Amino acid sequence: MNLAGRDLLKLSDLTPAELSALLAQAAELKRDPYRVELRGRVLGLLFQKASTRTRASFTAAMAQCGGSTLDLVPTVMQVSRGEPLQDTARVLSRYLDVIAIRTYDQKELETFAEYADIPVINALTDQFHPCQVLADLLTIQENFGQLAGLTLAYCGDGNNVAHSLLLGCAMSGIHIRVATPPGYEPDAAVVEQARTLAQGSQVLVLQDPQEAVSGSQVVYTDVWASMGQEAEAEARKATFLPYQVNAELLQRADPQAIVLHCLPAHREEEITTEVLEGSQSRVWDQAENRLHVQKALLVQLLGPG
């Protein structure tokens, strides 16, 4: 695997073999967390959206690898006063070794990557959240020893996490069933791409959460209203309530099934506290694994020092 100098804007930027190798390296770095790989290298964080896990895990990853992080706060940068993204990208490429961007529109990220001379990482857009799903896949692999042949059921909004799960599961040979209310399905183009990339796995978009969860080994959910959709949150509750991951729904899954949530969680909305804190929950391992997969990603994108 050689990812040096490349961008990660969505999971399909990787091949299935590269994805598998990246997860293997993340597992190695988890066992040896303070291996020095990136001494003297600088990661920039350009975040337009709030962040807890992504900001903290990227910062910790660079520190544990001997590098440093520069927090680029958009409100105190010239980009907030109208400096074009392409100009910002060119300038920051002269100062940094890699940059992680958390923004709204995927096209903004792609524009930045087009003009930057350093690797650009998608730290979340409205369309995709690849770093989250890398952690999800590592968590599933840790629990079952493999990925291919498992079934993951996602219940909720067809959002950025659902899009990245569709791609990541398809590329890993995981059967994926996405259950959403009518009108909230994932983007049809992403679904089609997942089916094209599928490594012997089945990609289904359903409306019945019970059908989706039936016999699955992984049950996954996310908030019903993502960042930027706060005004819709109250109106969405009634629509999404049948998709709540609770004890009754979980009984339809495989008895050995695990529960995942990318966090932050709205307890008693998309997931009950009983399930989130229950014995089948792997949510805290999943959150920790953000650190390890992003460390592997940084090491690979930066290449030899």
Side-chain angles (χ1 to χ4, degrees), residues 243-302:
Y243 296 81
Q244 182 187 73
V245 175
N246 51 38
E248 181 181 356
L249 183 65
L250 191 55
Q251 285 179 354
R252 294 183 171 271
D254 186 302
Q256 303 303 313
I258 63 172
V259 175
L260 300 181
H261 190 308
C262 55
L263 300 178
H266 293 173
R267 297 174 186 232
E268 309 310 324
E269 290 185 16
E270 74 276 0
I271 191 168
T272 61
T273 299
E274 178 186 11
V275 171
L276 185 68
E277 300 286 0
S279 62
Q280 291 172 274
S281 173
R282 298 295 182 273
V283 171
W284 319 117
D285 295 336
Q286 177 188 8
E288 177 191 341
N289 283 337
R290 293 294 303 278
L291 170 66
H292 308 300
V293 295
Q294 286 160 194
K295 189 183 298 183
L297 180 62
L298 288 166
V299 168
Q300 281 298 319
L301 296 183
L302 287 169

Side-chain angles (χ1 to χ4, degrees), residues 227-246:
M227 283 182 284
Q229 299 174 333
E230 288 80 4
E232 304 173 30
E234 198 61 34
R236 284 178 173 232
K237 286 182 181 178
T239 302
F240 281 90
L241 186 58
Y243 296 81
Q244 182 187 73
V245 175
N246 51 38

Side-chain angles (χ1 to χ4, degrees), residues 46 48 73-85 88:
L46 181 56
Q48 297 275 5
V73 182
T75 55
V76 298
M77 294 174 62
Q78 295 293 352
V79 70
S80 69
R81 299 178 62 245
E83 182 173 23
L85 273 179
T88 303

Side-chain angles (χ1 to χ4, degrees), residues 21-31 138 289 292-294 296:
L22 193 61
L23 295 175
Q25 182 162 24
E28 291 176 9
L29 290 171
K30 185 171 184 177
R31 291 189 291 269
L138 179 60
N289 283 337
H292 308 300
V293 295
Q294 286 160 194

Side-chain angles (χ1 to χ4, degrees), residues 27-253:
E28 291 176 9
L29 290 171
K30 185 171 184 177
R31 291 189 291 269
D32 186 8
Y34 294 99
R35 182 190 307 173
V36 175
E37 297 272 3
L38 304 176
R39 186 176 299 278
R41 315 300 280 278
V42 182
L43 163 69
L45 300 179
L46 181 56
F47 284 17
Q48 297 275 5
K49 289 188 173 189
S51 173
T52 298
R53 281 148 293 277
T54 305
R55 185 187 300 277
S57 55
F58 267 120
T59 303
M62 282 300 281
Q64 291 183 11
C65 289
S68 59
T69 305
L70 183 61
D71 201 344
L72 302 162
V73 182
T75 55
V76 298
M77 294 174 62
Q78 295 293 352
V79 70
S80 69
R81 299 178 62 245
E83 182 173 23
L85 273 179
Q86 53 264 46
D87 295 359
T88 303
R90 289 185 180 109
V91 171
L92 291 179
S93 294
R94 306 290 181 105
Y95 304 149
L96 307 171
D97 297 290
V98 59
I99 188 166
I101 298 178
R102 188 177 180 93
T103 190
Y104 292 89
D105 193 341
Q106 181 79 10
K107 290 183 179 178
E108 288 186 8
L109 179 75
E110 292 169 357
T111 296
F112 195 102
E114 180 182 353
Y115 288 92
D117 294 326
I118 57 175
V120 176
I121 300 170
N122 182 351
L124 178 144
T125 65
D126 287 347
Q127 286 73 39
F128 297 104
H129 198 357
C131 293
Q132 176 62 57
V133 172
L134 288 174
D136 301 340
L137 295 175
L138 179 60
T139 308
I140 296 167
Q141 188 168 274
E142 286 176 340
N143 276 269
F144 296 102
Q146 64 181 52
L147 296 174
L150 298 173
T151 297
L152 181 146
Y154 173 91
C155 299
D157 188 26
N159 60 14
N160 51 2
V161 171
H163 289 159
S164 288
L165 281 169
L166 280 161
L167 297 177
C169 288
M171 293 168 64
S172 302
I174 298 175
H175 306 297
I176 179 166
R177 306 169 186 160
V178 175
T180 72
Y184 294 92
E185 298 88 354
D187 186 281
V190 177
V191 175
E192 185 57 35
Q193 184 179 26
R195 288 173 175 155
T196 300
L197 293 171
Q199 303 296 296
S201 49
Q202 187 180 49
V203 176
L204 294 177
V205 178
L206 309 168
Q207 293 182 359
D208 184 351
Q210 297 185 3
E211 180 183 356
V213 169
S214 179
S216 63
Q217 287 77 43
V218 184
V219 180
Y220 198 120
T221 192
D222 189 11
V223 294
W224 293 337
S226 299
M227 283 182 284
Q229 299 174 333
E230 288 80 4
E232 304 173 30
E234 198 61 34
R236 284 178 173 232
K237 286 182 181 178
T239 302
F240 281 90
L241 186 58
Y243 296 81
Q244 182 187 73
V245 175
N246 51 38
E248 181 181 356
L249 183 65
L250 191 55
Q251 285 179 354
R252 294 183 171 271

